[in-house]
Amino acid sequence: MNYCSQCGQQVTLKIPVDDNRERFVCDHCGYIHYQNPNNVCGAILTRGDRVLMCRRAIEPRYGLWTLPAGFMENNETVAEAAAREAMEEANAQAGPLTLFGIFSMPYISQVYLMFHGELASEEISPGQESLEVAMMSREQIPWDQLAFPVVEHSLKLYYEHGTDRVHHAWFSRDEQRRVQLHFID
Ligand SMILES: [Zn+2]
């Protein structure tokens, strides 16, 4: 961040009075620009033994497969966000959603909230952000062409541990950008 969104003057990185970490502070108007993690909401939407998958038509990871997921918007609930993403990416109508997992990614300051639910209808089609969409069985999922580690881990958790409990984990990333999953409980 270079300029203050309140008054347009330059900001500087410093620890504000009564704070304990660096923030972008405007020396002109005094505004403190707090930056906090983003919530990403997504869903494993199923129909029998098949899962809704989307092939990305946008960067990053253009052409790779993902679960419907995206940044939460203001003024919506987490479940609404997940259902909205399914509609936007696959024109898919989600049935009632239950929380499947909470995954913290401190290295990119994101928190993923993944839901599970049945698709209300089998009618799906690619939204603007998808090249194609498909209902896939475990064997059909292109495991070597998944867009993000969280997609791979979510699908593995789904198939290996099911939906009886909420999966709570965090991800770390090493120098080689390899991502590892750590269970919290
Ligand atoms: Zn300012």
Side-chain angles (χ1 to χ4, degrees):
M1 170 171 265
N2 292 314
Y3 297 101
C4 178
S5 59
Q6 302 295 305
C7 73
Q9 298 295 309
Q10 211 149 0
V11 295
T12 49
L13 196 58
K14 63 181 180 190
I15 301 175
V17 182
D18 297 330
D19 204 340
N20 57 11
R21 64 187 68 209
E22 288 188 318
R23 316 279 183 191
F24 289 106
V25 179
C26 178
D27 293 319
H28 184 72
C29 74
Y31 193 85
I32 303 167
H33 297 266
Y34 294 99
Q35 294 182 315
N36 300 98
N38 285 312
N39 293 331
V40 181
C41 300
I44 297 171
L45 293 172
T46 54
R47 200 78 172 164
D49 66 343
R50 293 174 307 146
V51 170
L52 172 64
M53 298 292 292
C54 308
R55 198 152 81 88
R56 291 171 65 82
I58 52 171
E59 295 293 347
R61 315 293 165 88
Y62 179 98
L64 297 182
W65 288 89
T66 189
L67 293 163
F71 290 112
M72 199 177 177
E73 300 286 2
N74 293 335
N75 309 122
E76 66 182 0
T77 68
V78 285
E80 284 170 350
R84 175 182 52 72
E85 290 293 338
M87 183 54 74
E88 286 177 4
E89 295 179 14
N91 292 303
Q93 183 70 54
L97 296 173
T98 54
L99 188 58
F100 172 78
I102 300 180
F103 308 115
S104 293
M105 288 163 216
Y107 56 93
I108 46 173
S109 296
Q110 289 182 2
V111 178
Y112 264 75
L113 297 115
M114 294 298 292
F115 288 82
H116 170 255
E118 292 278 309
L119 270 180
S121 151
E122 234 179 271
E123 280 177 42
I124 55 169
S125 60
Q128 275 199 347
E129 297 176 7
S130 304
L131 295 170
E132 57 180 310
V133 295
M135 298 300 299
M136 293 181 174
S137 67
R138 186 176 185 171
E139 294 70 34
Q140 291 170 322
I141 290 173
W143 293 98
D144 57 345
Q145 294 170 57
L146 297 179
F148 305 106
V150 65
V151 173
E152 181 183 346
H153 284 299
S154 292
L155 287 167
K156 280 184 177 163
L157 282 172
Y158 174 72
Y159 286 118
E160 288 166 18
H161 299 278
T163 58
D164 291 347
R165 55 192 291 272
V166 176
H167 303 284
H168 186 198
W170 66 282
F171 289 66
S172 64
R173 189 167 73 184
D174 64 18
E175 293 80 28
Q176 280 79 47
R177 298 174 74 84
R178 283 182 307 228
V179 170
Q180 250 200 317
L181 180 71
H182 311 271
F183 289 101
I184 295 168
D185 51 29

